[in-house]
Each structure stands twice: as C-alpha cells, then as structure tokens.
Amino acid sequence: MDWIFLIGLLASAVRFTTPVLYAALGETVTQRAGVLNVGIEGIMLVGAFLAVLGAVATGSPWGGLFIAIGAGAILGALHAFFCVILKVDQIVSGIGLIVLGLGLSGFGYRVTIGSSSQLTAVPTFERVDFGPLTGVPGLGPIVFDHHLLVYMALGLALALGWALKRSGLGLSIRAAGEAPEAADAAGVEVNRLRFLCTMFGGALAAMGGAYLSIAALSGFVENMVAGRGFIAIACVVFGRWNPLGVMAAVFFFGLAEALQIRLQTAAPDIPYQFFVMIPYALAILALVLVAGRAKAPSALRIPFITGRHARSRAHRHKEDTL
Amino acid sequence: MTHTLDARRALVGGGGALVVVIAAFGVAALFIVLASKNPFDTFAVLFGYTLGNAIGFSEVVVRAIPLTLAGLGLCVAFRANAFNIGADGQIMVGAIVSVALGLALPGWPSYFAVPLSLLAGALAGGLYGALAGHLRARYNASEIIVTIMLNYVALQLLAWMIRGPLQETMAIFPRSDALPPSASLDVIIAGTRIHEGFYIAAAAVALVYLLLNRSALGFAFKVVGLSAPAARYGGLKDRALIVLAMGLSGGLAGLAGSIEIAGVHRRLQDDFAPSYGITAIAVALLARLDARFVPLTALLFGVLHVGSGAMQRQIGIPFPLVWIIQGIVILAFLYLSYMRGRARAITPEAV
Amino acid sequence: MPAMTAPILSLTGITKRYPGVVANDGVSLSLQAGEVLGLLGENGAGKSTLMNILSGLATPDEGEIVLGGATMRFHAPKDALEAGIGMVHQHFRLVPTLSALENIALGDPRHTRGRLRLRPLKARLEALASELNLSVPLDTPVGALDIGSQQRIEILKALAREPRILILDEPTAVLAEDERDGLFRVVKRLAARRVAVILISHRLDDVFGACDRAVVLRQGRVAGEGRVADLSREALVRLMVGGDVAAPSRSAEHAIGAPLIEVENLTVRFGRGDRRLEDVGFTLRAGEILGLAGVEGNGQHELIDAITGLAEPASGRVKHLYARPGDARLSALRAAGLAFVPEDRHARAMVPALSLSDNVLLTRLREPAFRRHGLVDRRAALALTTSLIERFNIMAPGAGAPIGTLSGGNQQKLVLARELSTEPRVLIAAQPTRGLDVRTVAFVQERLLERRDAGVGILLVSSDLAELWALADRIMVVANGRLKGPIAVAESSFAEIGHWMSGS
C-alpha cells in the first residue's frame, strides 16, 4: 500500500463520513432524550431533494441548506407528534417516515427539476480555500481540501459531546432518556424536551442529505441516500450514544466505504457486488459485537406519561399500536 | 365526553381502515394539485385502468399474490413484536434459490419440481429472516437495522447472480435463463396472467389465520409480542419464538419471491419485485395484522401499483406518489390506533 | 410544638375523580410551618392522589390549595417545586446513571442554565448534609448505592431547592429499623428549621415516632384527625380500616410433611454493582408456610427466579423433590405441581392487554385440557375463567374483558385463582398482598392458609413482617447479602426477626 493510495483513501473517507455523521449526531441527541427515529433515511432523502430545489430557487447552496434543515425539522416534528404527543409506536412511525420520505423526494423531484429535459445547474458548495495549506503533501488532501459542511460536522460532534456531558440542557436530555419520571419530578419538561430533540435530529438528518446533493454531488438522484440513514442508526449504537464515539464509528464506516470503492478497481477478479456489500455487512457485524453490551438509554422507545409510577413502564400498551 | 367517545368508537370500528384510505387519498390529491394536475382525472385513470376492465383487474390480482404472501409474513413477525423490514431481501433470496433449483432440475416432472423449488425458496427466505431473528434474540441487535442491511446485501447478491453464476446462457442481458415449463406455475385463467400462485396465497391466508388466531404458537407469538417477561413467566421460550416468528415471516416472503418468478417473470432479473417488501408493511398494518383482511389490503395496494403506470403515462403523475400514499396510510393507521386506545381507556391505571 | 398561627398550607374540599373511582372526596387539611403531619391510610385510601395533586402530578377537579396565603394551581411538578413544595416519592425519582450531585442539579435553573455548575452546588450540599447529619456520597452513580443512601439523596435533593413544605411518601417502607430512626431525627431537625413536613404512611409506628399531628384518610375522605399525643393505636386503626378487622384465623394443628424443595449453597447476583446474596440454604416442606422476610431489594426477586428456573444462579443447587430430576425449567416444574405468583404483577404475572381468559391460558397453554385438534381450546379456557371469577369473587365484566381494565386487587385475585386452579403441591408467592385493600388482603391470606392446611408447601415472600408473623410457620430473613434462619415462629420473637431485618 503506497502513500498516495492511503492519502486518497483517508481524504475520501472524510467525505463519506460527513453525511452519515450529521444524521448520526442528530439521532444520538434524539435517542438520548428517549425517542427512537428509524425514519431518518426518509428525512435525509427529503433533505437531499429540497436542498437541490432550494439551491436552484434561491441561487445559493445556503438557501438550499436552510430549506432542507427546515423541512427536516418539520418531519422530525411529525415523528415527535406521533411518538411524544400521541405516544404510539415509535418504530411504526419511523417506518411511515421512511416510505413518506421516499415518496416526497421522488415525487417532488420528478415534478420539478426532474421533469425538465435540459440539465438544471445546481449551485453547490465550494471547497474551503486554505490557500497553500491544501498543497501540503499528505495532510493537505486529508485535512484542508473539504467543504465547509465537513468541518461543521466535526465541530458539531465536539460541541454536542461537550454539551451532552457538561451543559445543563445536556443533563436534562440524558435524564429524559434515562429516567423521565425522575426528570419530570425535578421540574424538567420531559415531553417538550423530547419533542425538540426529535426536531433537532430531523434537522440534522436533512443536513446530511443536503450534503449529499449540494456538496458531495451536484444534483438529486432518486433513493440517493442508499441506506446511509440506517447505517447512521447502527453507528449510534456502535458509538454507544456518545457523540465522539459516534463520530469514530461513522469514520470507521466512511473508511470502509472508501476502501471498498478502491478495492473494486484493485481486485477486478472479484465481483464488485461483494465489495458493495461490505459496509452493510459491517453494520450488522458492529451491531452484533456491540449491541448486546452497549446500554441504550433506559427509557428509549417508552412514551412518557406524567403522573405515572415507574412500574407502569413495564406494561407499555403494545396492543394500542398494532 | 360520552358523545365524543361514541363518535370515536364509530370511527375506529369497521370503518377505520376506510378512513385511513380516504385520508391517504386526500393527501395524495393535495400533492397532485401541487404538481398542477387534476386529482379527479388522476384517480379516474387510476381506478379506471385497474378496476374498470377485466384485464386491468387481473393484473391487480397478479400483483396482490406476492403482496398477500409477504404481508401475511409481516403479520406473523409484527404479532411477535419483531419488526421485519427485510421482506424485500427475503423475497430476493427466496427467488434466487428457487430459480437456481428450478434451473437445475430440467427433466423432473412438474408435480415434483414446482413444490420443491418453491419450498426451497421459502426455506431460503425463512433462514434469511431467522438470521435477523437470531441476531436480535442472541445479541440484542436491532432487527430493524439488520433486516434493512440484509436487504442491501440481498440486492447485491441478486445483481451478482444474474451477471455471474446464474446469467443466461447467451450472456447478453443481466438475467437468468427462463425456467422450464416443468418448474413454472401455470396460468389459471386464460387471457390473463393470474397463475397457480393464487391458490397458494389463498391457502396461506387460511393457514396464517389459523396459526395466529387459533393455534398455541400464535398465542405464544402474541404474548411474547406484548410482554417478553410475561412470556418467560408463562414458560414460553421468548427468544426461540422471536427466531421462529422471523423465520416464518421470511419464509412467506421467500415464497412470495419464488412464486413471483415461477408464475410471472419465469426468469430472475433486476427489480423483479420492486419494493414489494415495503409495500407489504402497509398491507399488513392496514389489515391490522389480521390475516383475513390481508388479501383485501393487498388488492388495494395492487391497484395503486398497477394503476401508477397508467397515471404516469396518461396524466404524468410519477410513480413515487404511491410511496406518499403508503407513507400516509402507515401514519394514518397510527393515528387511528391512538384513537382506538383512547376509546378503550375506560378505567384508571392507578389511583 | 409550633404555635398556632396562620397555616402555611391549607387544602379545602379537594376532590379528584377518575373514571369509576372518586380518589379524593372533599379532602381538607392544613399545615403549620415547623409541623410534622402524619397522613395515614390504607392502600387505596387516596393518600397518593392527594400528594400527586400537591406535587403537580395531578390536578384536582374541585377544591382549593392555598399556600402561604396565595391560591395555587399546579399543572406540572415544576410549578409545585417553584412554589416551595418538595417531594420525596415512594418510588424514588432518581436517574440511576447520574451521580447524586447531577441528580440534585437536574432541573434546578441555578445550576443548569447554560454550563453545568456543580462545584458551588457541591459546597452547598456538603454544608447542608453536615448540618442535618445526612451522609451521602455525592459523586457515585446513585444506581450503585443502597436504598437508604438513595433516600437520603432524595431528601437532600428536595431540600436543595429550599422548600417550605417537604412531603415524604411512605419513606419508611424501604428502610430497616435503625435507618428509620435516623430518618426521624432528620425530620425533627427539619421541623426545627421551620420546614413543614407531611409524612405519608400506613404504619402507625411512623406516626408515633415522628409526627405532631395525624390525619387519617379512608376511601378518599378524611376519616379523622388529631394531635398524636391525644391518639391511641386502636383508635387510629379503627379510623384507617373503618371498623375492626379480624386477623386471619390460624388453625393450630396441621401436619408438616415431606420436603419439597431443597436449596443448597445458592448464590445469586442482584442489583447494580454486582451485589450478591450468598450461600442460601433451606428446605420447604409440604403443609407449611415458610416465610421469607427482608427489606425489598435484598435479592429476594433473584432468589425466587433462581428457584423457579427463570434465571441461572451464580452457584449452588435447587432440588425440586416433587418433580422429575433433570428438568428445572419453569414449564416442567409447573407440570409437576408448582404454582408461582410473582411480585411484579404488571410486568410478568399477566398481560394487561389480553383478556382474563387469555391470562389464564398464559401459564396453562401446554395442558391437554386446553388443546383441541392441535389448536387452542378457547372455550375451555373461557369456562374455567368464568368459574374462577365466580369462586374468587372477582369483579370483572366477564372472562373476555382485558385484564388491564380491572382494579389491582381483582387482577391479583385472578392471578392467584389461576395459580391455585392447577391444584399445585408447591406454591411460591411473592408479595401476594401488596397494594391490595384490607378485604382482599384477608381473602388472599385465607386462601394461602386453606392450601397450607390441605398439605401444599408454600414459600411466602413478603417485606411486611407482620403478615409473615401472622401466617408463617417458619421465617427466614435476607439482609446484607446473607440468609438468616429459618426459625420456627413459635420459638422466636417479633423483635428478634425485626432485628434480623435491619441487618444486625
């Protein structure tokens, strides 16, 4: 393995990491507050589509990004409406979001940009100009040759890592996901907090989708998220619900993705489909290795109803949902 | 108070599913308007094409066969509170194995080759589902994520098979050779594509109904789905039940895939069952996990899928509208279950 | 004694209805600063509802809360906290993964606005703790601490908000004797600092040990009140139960038979932080009630799970002499004659969403009597359930109604009826009377004695020593990771066993 290969590998690993990292960080916050959103794949798709549409409409990638974030927050709020307010099954609601997101993005794309016969130019993010730093051998391509969204994702991981651990809001979020009745008794508005965290998670998922369509590529392709939303959820488990651990997990997957693409050309005798399988198989392996031991927030998936005793956790009214 | 309760009860009674469907079409109409088309024309095309003539309807029935089988499978898993999102992968794996076997048994009589290859497909899908069930039961790995990841793995497996080991002898298109007639399902109504899989689906409805509503195993699935600790206390093996439910679920999906090939396409190809697995989720949920209603909801989604082609050609409404309707059906179903819970909450939990 | 000035808190005509039940029916009471008020009542008398109203967990349908001269209406716990009402719940409201310090900071804007500021809080808490002589480790995750420490953290948490009123909900239920004395000393010191304390309990000792005044609730109404100095135990009991309750009759003579279960050198792990109950050994015989006493959460649950085959013990052996050796799974033991009433009724003994008759099937699914042509014979289950409803006098709309819609007492009756319907030879019953009203308690106890006399061997787990004292032939106690006894009730004294429970 030579240096050029390794540098190229790491540089593209960073790029593959970014969209999943946004989604995974958002999901981390959502889950730490006690809500599981398996629908972020759908939200990422909507984010990817609206970012393109918004960028074209406003003439700026920033316009697209903000519209995507807003839509993500709205879809997060929809999930929160079902999970936090109606208190119905979080998984079924998430499945609904997946399918809805698939539909909204595909339908929206085909009746807008996708319907025109000529190519629409999509305003996209430029890479940050670090001047001569980009040319530094090795370090330049890996560290100083990315879009602003890449650096923002890294900054966000650090900020969330700090905030969950050291801020008052972070303490409330952890308590809401671990022992909501305790948080409630201490004066934390658990359901409000959960609602907002779910919106936040939706906004970040959409941001991850937007990165795909207006930074990594320039345009929308149907189902372009290709399972990254689910890999993000696996990374939350793999990173043990800790933003920095999640970042490491996502980077590991980014590396696997970058590697498998290079292996496709490096080993043409092996059918490329087997390389494409690698990240998905790794996600399963990661879950198997970690999930049994990792401790999810205790109240994850359990709706909080104020004034109930802790023991009533035990009988979640499953039949109400199915 | 009583008044609203009565209204709710009425709403959540038999008419519930209808309300969900109407809500979904209402939202769909909104999006059609947003796309600057006329929703009434669109729905007229949708229903006219599928329900307005015999051939259209026969296509709906053809589509409903795999949706029924896969939907029944999801009823089994969901009853046991195992969220099998992997019917798509199980369909593909089932189809691959059954085609491989069907092609390998050219000289065999059909009364032997057909059941054998279908059973092999069901077994393959079942093992694929049971794998996810095992990982959940043994390692607490979320079956949602695992089954979705397995969908992507199966997709690649299929892509490789029809470009590699199972590719047609001519080696031109990415598809397998055609199954010999002895390994295919016959058409049962001349002039249509409705095939013998219809009988298999009908039998499956009865069997799954008996399994879920009448058998001890079905009772055990229900208990483990509602409360794993209570199941253990009752002496049920909760982990084995999860694996079994996922296995049966995957088996029915695998059977759906095998039948779709043996009855309709006759050869393996890309996208032979486009997103049937996800559609089957909506089929199962809208049927409220009751096997008896699955064929009806499968027909409904059959209408959507078959009609979407006409919608696209004649009105210019793209296919993903079907996704939107399915997504809304799932969410509206959830809202309905919330109302149902409301109507049932009569007694206080604790005083 | 506090001087009679304007009350700091007065409740007037508080009424709270739940569908089918009036939990509080025109309750009025008042409280002075520096006073310790005992709020007494049976389970279901309405104490918890009243306190939920005071702490913002429930809103009253009628009535008025006046606090320090202002009329209050609490919509969330936050409102009550801000008004100066601190609450120590019976089921602790602590986040087990957080330290005491973080638990106390939680929700307190002085320490959680923006960055977490734990250092000034720690200094303040250390001062408060030493002043009240409450020793508490502040930096360990509270889940790893024993129950007594958790309760002290709860108290410290409430006091850190500087409340005017402190409510303690059944604080002694989880404490051993000497810990209880420590709690009462803290309560007295608080009263001396002009904090008004409401101590909720169903135990008379608490009232006489710590309170100035007592209010008795019965069936949602105030049944009586008075200064503790003027009250007698007998008078309080009559107020609580609304009459005299006969103790269950003990038949003096009953034959104790062959051994049924032998437990040898059994060790189980329990709780967070890998605590152990070690080296347990005893024999359960036919025709006896063997009582297992102990403060809750001392490994009883895990011990029972190990005996019933639901969990693997860390080491040691359990022999079920009535069953074929080799197969120790619960289903096999059941087939051989074991019945089991677990303590966690909602989580295990039943499935709330299923019907009564399906809940009867829950443990009897394997029996040929409930099978027909390979399918479940629901008619047989319905018939049996209907007869059980009748025989056990269960208040239910029918065998097909969801069991979750029944009251706790009726749910427990069905669980007991189901377990006894197999004509078992061995019965393991954990906390079978907890949370039930007086009459249901007596009913359940009578059924146990009846079976004992018929030769069933009964292992009865209870944290209520008085109950065991009334029913058991022999009693053993878990405390500090060890089992003491068993000792024959006839050869022991109540005080001695009480002493064992406190772990000394």
Side-chain angles (χ1 to χ4, degrees):
Chain A
M1 207 185 290
D2 55 29
W3 276 110
I4 296 173
F5 177 81
L6 195 64
I7 289 163
L9 182 73
L10 288 174
S12 71
V14 171
R15 282 190 281 276
F16 284 122
T17 298
T18 305
V20 182
L21 184 55
Y22 278 112
L25 289 173
E27 181 74 9
T28 302
V29 172
T30 307
Q31 290 198 16
R32 282 305 281 264
V35 177
L36 175 68
N37 185 355
V38 296
I40 53 177
E41 173 92 3
I43 300 180
M44 287 179 85
L45 278 168
V46 172
F49 158 62
L50 282 182
V52 169
L53 189 68
V56 171
T58 62
S60 152
W62 287 102
L65 182 66
F66 286 126
I67 287 171
I69 289 175
I74 291 171
L75 287 175
L78 182 67
H79 186 61
F81 170 72
F82 282 102
C83 304
V84 179
I85 295 180
L86 301 190
K87 305 181 201 305
V88 291
D89 196 286
Q90 305 192 352
I91 291 175
V92 179
S93 169
I95 295 171
L97 274 190
I98 298 169
V99 183
L100 192 64
L102 208 57
L104 290 176
S105 59
F107 181 83
Y109 178 71
R110 288 203 209 170
V111 299
T112 55
I113 299 164
S115 67
S116 93
S117 50
Q118 69 237 53
L119 275 172
T120 316
V122 179
T124 56
F125 285 103
E126 301 293 328
R127 296 186 182 191
V128 182
D129 185 7
F130 285 98
L133 280 178
T134 312
V136 175
L139 216 54
I142 299 173
V143 181
F144 298 114
D145 190 23
H146 298 294
H147 298 99
L148 185 61
L149 284 175
V150 173
Y151 304 106
M152 277 167 61
L154 299 179
L156 193 66
L158 297 175
L160 287 176
W162 179 87
L164 273 179
K165 207 167 169 153
R166 302 259 179 243
S167 77
L169 183 63
L171 180 68
S172 298
I173 291 173
R174 283 186 284 150
E178 198 64 47
E181 63 289 341
D184 178 60
V188 174
E189 289 171 274
V190 173
N191 283 330
R192 206 182 92 150
L193 196 59
R194 285 184 165 187
F195 199 104
L196 292 174
C197 286
T198 310
M199 284 180 74
F200 179 77
L204 283 198
M207 222 168 148
Y211 174 87
L212 284 174
S213 65
I214 56 171
L217 298 172
S218 54
F220 179 80
V221 181
E222 253 172 70
N223 207 5
M224 74 186 299
V225 176
R228 287 182 180 85
F230 303 110
I231 287 187
I233 298 173
C235 285
V236 174
V237 180
F238 200 29
R240 302 191 175 209
W241 290 270
N242 170 3
L244 299 181
V246 169
M247 181 166 75
V250 177
F251 183 73
F252 172 74
F253 276 96
L255 204 59
E257 183 74 38
L259 191 65
Q260 71 90 0
I261 288 175
R262 278 162 177 73
L263 286 177
Q264 287 181 27
T265 44
D269 297 341
I270 302 173
Y272 70 89
Q273 290 94 350
F274 286 96
F275 295 116
V276 180
M277 282 179 200
I278 287 175
Y280 303 115
L282 272 180
I284 295 174
L285 196 67
L287 279 179
V288 167
L289 290 179
V290 176
R293 267 165 287 150
K295 175 90 178 48
S298 301
L300 186 63
R301 274 186 71 193
I302 304 173
F304 176 67
I305 300 161
T306 191
R308 279 216 187 157
H309 289 297
R311 67 173 163 77
S312 60
R313 270 188 197 190
H315 64 288
R316 294 133 55 167
H317 290 275
K318 290 256 179 60
E319 209 191 60
D320 291 352
T321 63
L322 290 178
Chain B
M1 184 67 196
T2 343
H3 186 72
T4 47
L5 264 183
D6 285 346
R8 275 178 182 151
R9 287 222 179 86
L11 185 60
V12 300
L18 201 65
V19 174
V20 168
V21 172
I22 291 170
F25 276 93
V27 175
L30 201 73
F31 280 99
I32 295 169
V33 171
L34 277 178
S36 327
K37 309 280 195 252
N38 184 332
F40 298 105
D41 293 351
T42 309
F43 292 146
V45 167
L46 173 68
F47 292 114
Y49 182 78
T50 52
L51 303 178
N53 66 78
I55 288 300
F57 185 70
S58 77
E59 279 301 296
V60 170
V61 173
V62 169
R63 190 62 65 100
I65 292 170
L67 289 181
T68 299
L69 285 166
L72 288 171
L74 295 187
C75 289
V76 176
F78 290 177
R79 279 279 181 108
N81 199 30
F83 284 94
N84 181 10
I85 320 293
D88 277 315
Q90 293 143 12
I91 286 172
M92 285 186 257
V93 170
I96 291 171
V97 169
S98 107
V99 167
L101 198 69
L103 290 172
L105 306 172
W108 296 47
S110 71
Y111 57 81
F112 207 82
V114 167
L116 202 65
S117 63
L118 293 186
L119 274 180
L123 192 67
L127 287 174
Y128 211 56
L131 171 66
H134 172 71
L135 297 182
R136 143 106 184 256
R138 175 78 179 74
Y139 300 100
N140 197 24
S142 159
E143 75 278 16
I144 303 167
I145 305 295
V146 170
T147 51
I148 288 170
M149 293 297 124
L150 287 176
N151 283 348
Y152 288 102
V153 171
L155 188 68
Q156 296 305 321
L157 199 66
L158 174 65
W160 169 60
M161 280 285 177
I162 54 181
R163 288 168 182 80
L166 285 182
Q167 192 174 16
E168 58 180 354
T169 329
M170 307 274 287
I172 298 170
F173 295 107
R175 61 182 195 187
S176 74
D177 281 326
L179 285 172
S182 63
S184 305
L185 294 167
D186 294 332
V187 166
I188 56 175
I189 299 176
T192 72
R193 296 203 297 167
I194 300 175
H195 51 82
E196 288 166 331
F198 181 85
Y199 301 131
I200 300 174
V205 170
L207 285 175
V208 171
Y209 171 74
L210 282 178
L211 171 77
L212 290 182
N213 295 47
R214 296 296 193 80
S215 78
L217 185 60
F219 183 79
F221 282 153
K222 195 161 153 188
V223 171
V224 86
L226 289 166
S227 164
R232 278 195 290 278
Y233 163 78
L236 304 172
K237 295 174 191 152
D238 59 322
R239 293 181 174 193
L241 284 168
I242 295 284
V243 178
L244 187 59
M246 286 294 291
L248 286 173
S249 182
L252 283 160
L255 186 61
S258 310
I259 286 178
E260 184 71 358
I261 300 288
V264 179
H265 304 286
R266 303 286 159 92
R267 55 170 101 222
L268 215 48
Q269 59 196 45
D270 276 324
D271 236 10
F272 69 88
S275 63
Y276 286 12
I278 291 283
T279 304
I281 295 174
V283 167
L285 289 179
L286 190 63
R288 283 165 54 174
L289 308 189
D290 188 327
R292 290 171 298 180
F293 300 131
V294 166
L296 297 179
T297 55
L299 282 171
L300 175 76
F301 286 103
V303 165
L304 279 178
H305 277 251
V306 172
S308 68
M311 267 180 353
Q312 183 146 6
R313 282 189 304 275
Q314 297 179 25
I315 314 270
I317 291 294
F319 171 80
L321 182 72
V322 175
W323 295 119
I324 297 181
I325 294 178
Q326 277 175 210
I328 298 294
V329 162
I330 294 173
L331 294 179
F333 160 83
L334 267 184
Y335 191 78
L336 192 73
S337 73
Y338 160 77
M339 303 270 267
R340 202 145 44 96
R342 267 295 164 98
R344 207 192 294 132
I346 302 164
T347 314
E349 166 110 13
V351 178
Chain C
M1 288 292 124
M4 293 306 283
T5 50
I8 181 163
L9 172 75
S10 65
L11 304 180
T12 330
I14 297 289
T15 296
K16 176 73 184 176
R17 295 182 199 91
Y18 291 103
V21 187
V22 184
N24 282 166
D25 189 359
V27 174
S28 301
L29 59 82
S30 69
L31 187 64
Q32 306 281 329
E35 184 184 31
V36 182
L37 175 72
L39 187 65
L40 275 164
E42 285 283 314
N43 287 310
K47 296 171 301 195
S48 294
T49 302
L50 191 62
M51 291 309 114
N52 283 344
I53 287 170
L54 262 184
S55 61
L57 285 167
T59 47
D61 299 323
E62 289 165 26
E64 198 177 41
I65 304 170
V66 178
L67 183 69
T71 303
M72 295 286 169
R73 198 160 174 82
F74 303 138
H75 297 285
K78 205 178 162 188
D79 304 336
L81 282 171
E82 280 166 6
I85 296 180
M87 174 104 185
V88 174
H89 294 271
Q90 181 184 4
H91 303 279
F92 298 150
R93 305 288 169 107
L94 295 171
V95 185
T97 50
L98 300 182
S99 70
L101 204 54
E102 288 171 311
N103 265 294
I104 294 171
L106 182 65
D108 188 338
R110 287 172 298 176
H111 305 288
T112 55
R113 192 149 287 158
R115 194 168 59 82
L116 263 184
R117 282 176 299 273
L118 296 179
R119 218 166 295 158
L121 176 64
K122 189 169 185 180
R124 199 155 67 80
L125 288 177
E126 277 166 349
L128 189 62
S130 74
E131 192 184 327
L132 291 169
N133 202 9
L134 272 173
S135 84
V136 160
L138 288 173
D139 298 314
T140 320
V142 298
L145 300 175
D146 62 79
I147 303 252
S149 301
Q150 293 191 10
Q151 187 177 60
R152 289 192 287 277
I153 292 167
E154 276 279 26
I155 293 173
L156 211 52
K157 183 174 106 183
L159 293 179
R161 305 279 183 101
E162 291 159 14
R164 292 185 281 178
I165 298 168
L166 179 67
I167 303 170
L168 301 165
D169 188 5
E170 298 278 3
T172 58
V174 294
L175 297 184
E177 298 289 338
D178 53 343
E179 285 178 313
R180 190 183 318 176
D181 294 339
L183 172 70
F184 291 167
R185 281 194 293 275
V186 171
V187 167
K188 294 219 163 91
R189 271 185 219 113
L190 288 173
R193 290 165 51 129
R194 304 292 292 159
V195 175
V197 179
I198 301 180
L199 196 158
I200 303 168
S201 183
H202 65 282
R203 293 157 85 143
L204 298 178
D205 288 345
D206 295 350
V207 175
F208 289 103
C211 301
D212 303 318
R213 210 154 56 84
V215 169
V216 180
L217 287 186
R218 188 176 73 241
Q219 291 170 354
R221 299 204 180 102
V222 175
E225 61 174 304
R227 302 181 66 78
V228 169
D230 306 335
L231 291 167
S232 72
R233 280 175 181 270
E234 292 69 30
L236 280 175
V237 171
R238 270 197 300 277
L239 284 174
M240 278 167 72
V241 301
D244 295 305
V245 175
S249 55
R250 287 184 72 131
S251 59
E253 289 297 314
H254 56 278
I256 292 190
L260 294 168
I261 297 180
E262 281 178 9
V263 176
E264 290 169 12
N265 309 105
L266 196 69
T267 294
V268 294
R269 293 196 183 85
F270 67 94
R272 281 173 188 254
D274 202 28
R275 296 168 68 195
R276 282 156 174 269
L277 177 57
E278 289 186 320
D279 207 18
V280 171
F282 62 86
T283 302
L284 174 70
R285 291 173 171 277
E288 72 163 343
I289 295 181
L290 176 57
L292 178 62
V295 173
E296 263 178 73
N298 265 297
Q300 296 97 319
H301 182 97
E302 290 74 9
L303 178 63
I304 296 302
D305 274 9
I307 293 173
T308 53
L310 279 172
E312 281 288 312
S315 65
R317 293 206 307 168
V318 181
K319 280 197 227 163
H320 292 268
L321 301 166
Y322 56 95
R324 222 177 285 165
D327 194 351
R329 286 173 308 153
L330 181 54
S331 48
L333 298 176
R334 275 218 178 88
L338 175 76
F340 176 28
V341 177
E343 63 175 77
D344 28 15
R345 188 167 59 227
H346 284 92
R348 292 211 287 189
M350 52 175 241
V351 183
L354 293 183
S355 69
L356 274 74
S357 109
D358 278 358
N359 272 287
V360 166
L361 270 178
L362 177 63
T363 60
R364 306 196 59 176
L365 190 61
R366 288 162 195 271
E367 293 174 30
F370 300 102
R371 293 290 181 88
R372 255 179 86 204
H373 314 304
L375 297 176
V376 178
D377 189 351
R378 280 225 156 69
R379 239 179 299 168
L382 276 171
L384 172 66
T385 309
T386 309
S387 84
L388 291 178
I389 289 173
E390 212 163 285
R391 292 208 323 256
F392 278 74
N393 197 17
I394 297 166
M395 305 297 281
I403 196 171
T405 61
L406 269 54
S407 74
N410 284 307
Q411 291 172 350
Q412 184 71 338
K413 275 182 172 178
L414 184 86
V415 170
L416 188 70
R418 174 188 69 202
E419 294 304 301
L420 294 180
S421 67
T422 58
E423 300 296 332
R425 300 176 62 189
V426 185
L427 170 66
I428 297 178
Q431 316 281 8
T433 60
R434 184 166 58 191
L436 307 184
D437 63 82
V438 190
R439 268 163 249 284
T440 314
V441 168
F443 179 87
V444 170
Q445 293 179 342
E446 275 162 30
R447 297 286 84 70
L448 295 179
L449 289 171
E450 198 176 276
R451 292 298 163 133
R452 191 269 319 267
D453 292 344
V456 176
I458 300 176
L459 177 60
L460 177 61
V461 186
S462 178
S463 50
D464 181 354
L465 188 52
E467 174 176 66
L468 290 179
W469 194 254
L471 300 177
D473 301 287
R474 295 187 297 153
I475 293 182
M476 46 193 183
V477 175
V478 282
N480 291 342
R482 293 280 170 175
L483 181 90
K484 279 213 170 195
I487 187 168
V489 167
E491 292 160 20
S492 176
S493 72
F494 195 81
E496 183 186 13
I497 293 180
H499 204 58
W500 284 1
M501 277 178 78
S502 69
S504 47

